[in-house]
Amino acid sequence: MDAALRFSSLGEFIENHPRLFVLTGAGCSTDSGIPDYRDAEGEWKRAQPVMFQPFMADVHTRQRYWARSLIGWRYFGRAKPNPAHFALAELERQGRVELLVTQNVDCLHEAAGSTNVVDLHGRLDTVRCMSCEQRVPRREFQERLLAQNPQWAQLDAREAPDGDADLEGRDFTAFNIPPCQYCGGILKPDVVFFGESVPRDRVDRAMQGLRDADAMLVVGSSLMVYSGYRFAQAAAEAGKPVAAVNLGRTRADHLLTLKVNQPCAEALAPLAGVDLRLGLAVSI
Ligand SMILES: [Zn+2]
């Protein structure tokens, strides 16, 4: 480990920096049963997720996406926050979190009680029309998908990240995708796909949170994607210490003041007085 490490423990780091900018990633949600994309080396564990351009340009890509999503949503829509989410919500309640920015699209921070959250990559619980911008809840769209594709509802497949499922070997051309009810446009999950940029106002709000904070805490992210890595870069440039809780290496390892190589819940729950077993905040 780096000889420049100044903090012996995460508790000390949090104690010494009362206004934290928190950035979370997939590792925060794995204990909620949502698989992640990358291994401990930050490499892809599986086929890369769908890209923005093919999704918009090619109906077959959209058919395959929504057929898999129809199955994947059954797991994803039921996921519950775990002690890592509850611990971060508790730290916010204690006034220690300036802003929480998440790369996850599962809304589990909000479900755990965090209120000051930027969903950097959007939310999978919402579907957006790419023509008229109307938004509809994903659970409503699920009903429409099921109504138009009853034969697909019986299928099962292993769940995959981001509400996806490993459904292959099917003729996806038979899959019916309901269009926007208002204008007939193409509907897309309200999340930032690979190949698509994060909306500017979201990045600005997150950067402002980083400026107002006195340190950055990365939770469960390898920071392999630039949209997250840039905050670690900006923190380091501003001379703000960066700590990370992550199993395996991160792209920002050379920028870290403290690295905790532990599962997120295990590392955070005791510091926030959250019961690891129950996932419930207990009084401290
Ligand atoms: Zn529309």
Side-chain angles (χ1 to χ4, degrees), residues 90 93-94 269-276 278-284:
E90 175 60 19
R93 203 191 59 74
Q94 294 173 6
L271 302 177
V274 166
D275 188 316
L276 248 185
L278 298 173
L280 297 171
V282 295
S283 55
I284 47 173

Side-chain angles (χ1 to χ4, degrees), residues 15-38:
E15 204 57 48
N16 283 314
H17 302 100
R19 288 181 305 155
L20 291 174
F21 173 86
V22 181
L23 179 73
T24 73
C28 199
S29 289
T30 46
D31 279 345
S32 293
I34 298 173
D36 57 359
Y37 283 113
R38 294 175 190 274

Side-chain angles (χ1 to χ4, degrees), residues 129 131-132 180 182-185:
C129 173
S131 300
C132 75
C180 171
Y182 303 94
C183 78

Side-chain angles (χ1 to χ4, degrees), residues 128-134 179-187:
R128 174 164 65 109
C129 173
M130 298 306 283
S131 300
C132 75
E133 296 287 322
Q134 280 284 346
C180 171
Q181 287 166 299
Y182 303 94
C183 78
I186 293 174
L187 294 172

Side-chain angles (χ1 to χ4, degrees), residues 190-221:
D190 196 10
V191 299
V192 176
F193 275 9
F194 283 81
E196 192 178 7
S197 17
V198 177
R200 191 70 237 171
D201 58 329
R202 261 181 236 165
V203 178
D204 290 347
R205 192 180 156 212
M207 279 297 178
Q208 186 59 50
L210 179 58
R211 278 192 290 276
D212 294 341
D214 45 30
M216 175 171 177
L217 174 63
V218 179
V219 180
S221 175

Side-chain angles (χ1 to χ4, degrees), residues 224-240:
M224 288 301 161
V225 179
Y226 179 71
S227 65
Y229 176 69
R230 65 178 145 197
F231 296 106
Q233 262 185 331
E237 277 165 20
K240 300 184 189 210

